[in-house]
Amino acid sequence: MLRRPPLRGRRLRHAALAAALAAAVAVAPLAPGFAAAQDQEPPSPPVTAPASPAPVPAGEIRLTVPAAATPPAGSFLRPGIKNPELFEKSLEVARRALDQYGLLDDPQEARRVADIGYRVARESGFTGYPFTFHVIDMPEPNAFALPGGHLFITRGMLDLGLDDDMLAALLGHEIAHVVLDHHTKMQRRATLMNVLGQALVVGVMLADDGGKRVEPHPMDRYDPEYRNRHGERIQGAAAVSLVVSELLLRGFSREHEDQSDAEGQRWAAAAGFDPEGANRLFDLMRARIPQSKRYGYWRTHPFFDERVRSGKVRAELLKVAAPRPADDYRLATQATLLTWLDGVEVVPEDGFYDETGRMAAKTGWLVEAQALTAWPRGAAAERLRLARLHRLRDPELARPSIERDYGALDRAYAAEIQEVAELSPGSPFLEVLARERRALSARAEDLYPKAVQVLAGGVFETPFLERFLSSWPDAPQVPQAALLLGDAYSRLGRHAEAVQQYLKAMETGPGSPEAERASRGLAVLAPRLHSLAALERLAQQRIEPSVASLAGERLEQKAASFTDVDNGAEYLDRFPDGRHAVAVGERMNQLADGLYAEVVLYQAIGDQGKAVERINLILTYAPLSPAADLLRDRALLEAT
């Protein structure tokens, strides 16, 4: 059963997202800030060998909430949760944003962001909420913060090549928005959030309840192909959540932006970073954005030149402090997050259909991940890692043997082992993970002959082929399985995935009968393909030049004439710098303009359901189009 403390006992319905955002206007005054404590020197945390939890038998299901870490005595700062209701609602928006885009699969970059972010956050002296940092797999250069302390930076921003000083300035700016309570001081924008939330999110989520929503499996985060199956992952309500989150940033006044620039720059210098990093960040953005095919972060920030001049003046007056670790602050942040989890049983998502239970499980997973990011070493981190792996493993082992995906489990263990090895080389916990991984590998090896027999028998369903390729990626039967899976995807209309499997059959079995059949399958499929991403993938491959030429010609034609915004969004997501990215982007704007005209029409005749559907398409697949801007501006005018 799902257990929640009384404060979180009310059912958080899908339609409550608007209230979750509007609640930002009711936050109490902030706790005393940096000025009262900046001269205190934090003690160094004691260095102890991490405790190794006893291994859990491979078949045993053990679902526990990890014990909270204990910060060193006399810790400099102890973050708390001054408004639990706002924190939970902000957390739900964060979860929706991550549902939409997913975390970037780059642990080292994520650790870098967290290391710098916590050093800067510590210098703010803020203890109202535990800060958490997320790197999301979003191509647009952007960054934003939620009022509960959840900070996001995108892949597109990191791809610009920010050095540590520039990143510290950027994160300091977002931290300042939370510390200075800017989210709750924009009454006009809060009203806009109500309008967007009620008009869009509620309608979209009600549509999702009709059975169209596809819930991801927990192990999809370890599937190297899953992050590219964008269409399955996009949820309209999640997109709206992210758009609204961006509006929190977009709507800040000039005064608030100046304050965030100043405080963020000061805290970065106090944390040991060069305040000139802010100016280099401004220069970089000013140089890159005019040439970018995407809208960028500073598009949401007006009065650019004035801020550059102010930053240069401040940099000359600020003194860079000696760098010091934020270990105590991070431990205390982890303790706060795990204390919040106390009383919430984090359950496996697979098989849970109760609305409240599913939402709580996902939120619990997110808070566990945040606690692990806050302090990724030590006994509490080990318990978090092991509990997370067991929640993936145990439901999988409960399936009939032929239905288990040992490949996904192996990737999950490999990822944890690699991260622990980088963070704590020589930790005894590595052997715990390695021992469980070996046990799973032995099971997969025992199952392999049976799986080969099933494949040879020819009586199976598509999921069996997917599991076979996942569990035994180096097996001699891979070309055969990939060919059959490509045929299955082609019949199901999943053409982009069919192309991928046909190419796999050709790459893993060159010259084989399976490769020849896959080549014929591609030749038949290419002239019928509508997926821009699949056509680009075919055009780039070098195995079959004739097919590549045919796909390139068709892509040239389709790039300016496709009719579905999700098709263009998938292309731009997979190939943001592709040869046809500009043409696809222009076509996306045209389609979004047409959808906006339909929105106006359906609202005029009172068909709000169809209007919401079009609004959802615009904000989900073309959130940076002129039509999306018109929607936001229109909502703002109606809200004032």
Side-chain angles (χ1 to χ4, degrees), residues 11-53:
R11 189 181 190 195
L12 184 57
R13 300 178 185 273
H14 292 312
L17 181 57
L21 294 169
V25 301
V27 183
L30 296 176
F34 175 75
Q38 61 181 355
D39 295 327
Q40 302 178 34
E41 184 68 20
S44 299
V47 179
T48 58
S52 298

Side-chain angles (χ1 to χ4, degrees), residues 255-496:
E255 177 187 3
H256 291 163
E257 294 293 356
D258 282 338
Q259 289 175 347
S260 292
D261 283 346
E263 291 301 286
Q265 199 172 9
R266 181 167 70 88
W267 296 333
F273 297 98
D274 185 353
E276 283 290 340
N279 302 327
R280 294 200 300 275
L281 175 65
F282 284 126
D283 290 338
L284 176 66
M285 298 307 297
R286 178 157 45 188
R288 293 290 185 89
I289 285 179
Q291 288 78 36
S292 176
K293 291 188 286 290
R294 312 181 194 99
Y295 292 104
Y297 173 72
W298 293 104
R299 174 180 179 271
T300 66
H301 290 64
F303 51 90
F304 188 85
D305 292 336
E306 292 89 337
R307 296 173 68 187
V308 171
R309 288 193 290 270
S310 298
K312 291 184 180 297
V313 172
R314 285 191 298 267
E316 295 176 356
L317 302 176
L318 290 171
K319 180 180 179 181
V320 180
R324 56 181 179 178
D327 295 1
D328 56 348
Y329 183 74
R330 298 182 69 167
L331 274 167
T333 298
Q334 183 189 70
T336 299
L337 293 169
L338 293 181
T339 298
W340 184 89
L341 269 176
D342 186 29
V344 177
E345 184 179 4
V346 185
V347 296
E349 293 178 63
D350 190 39
F352 263 74
Y353 302 103
D354 174 74
E355 176 184 306
T356 305
R358 185 169 62 245
M359 186 178 300
K362 285 188 174 183
T363 302
W365 276 58
L366 175 56
V367 176
E368 281 193 352
Q370 292 172 341
L372 194 57
T373 300
W375 188 247
R377 303 175 179 86
E382 291 173 2
R383 286 191 290 271
L384 284 168
R385 294 183 192 278
L386 208 57
R388 181 165 62 179
L389 287 171
H390 289 174
R391 282 196 301 274
L392 298 175
R393 180 200 65 186
D394 295 338
E396 200 68 21
L397 295 182
R399 303 173 186 270
S401 61
I402 202 65
E403 296 181 8
R404 297 172 189 169
D405 188 345
Y406 284 106
L409 289 174
D410 186 73
R411 289 190 293 273
Y413 273 85
E416 295 293 351
I417 288 172
Q418 179 178 351
E419 187 163 3
V420 173
E422 292 174 354
L423 290 168
S424 305
S427 168
F429 184 57
L430 286 170
E431 178 54 30
V432 175
L433 296 176
R435 185 163 58 248
E436 294 194 1
R437 187 186 184 192
R438 288 193 299 268
L440 292 169
S441 296
R443 289 185 176 220
E445 185 176 350
D446 292 341
L447 180 62
Y448 172 66
K450 181 179 179 181
V452 171
Q453 289 179 354
V454 174
L455 183 65
V459 181
F460 45 74
E461 296 180 351
T462 301
F464 167 80
L465 296 171
E466 295 171 334
R467 291 190 297 269
F468 187 97
L469 291 170
S470 174
S471 298
W472 301 284
D474 300 319
Q477 296 81 11
V478 164
Q480 177 188 1
L483 171 65
L484 294 172
L485 187 56
D487 290 341
Y489 285 155
S490 182
R491 290 191 300 270
L492 294 170
R494 297 163 61 176
H495 294 152

Side-chain angles (χ1 to χ4, degrees), residues 194-219:
N194 261 326
V195 172
L196 282 175
Q198 293 170 359
L200 309 182
V201 180
V202 175
V204 171
M205 294 305 295
L206 289 176
D208 283 340
D209 285 342
K212 299 179 181 179
R213 181 166 181 157
V214 178
E215 293 290 345
H217 190 278
M219 284 192 297

Side-chain angles (χ1 to χ4, degrees), residues 593 596 625-635:
D593 286 343
Y596 179 81
S625 64
D629 285 338
L630 286 173
L631 281 176
R632 298 177 190 120
D633 292 342
R634 184 178 176 186

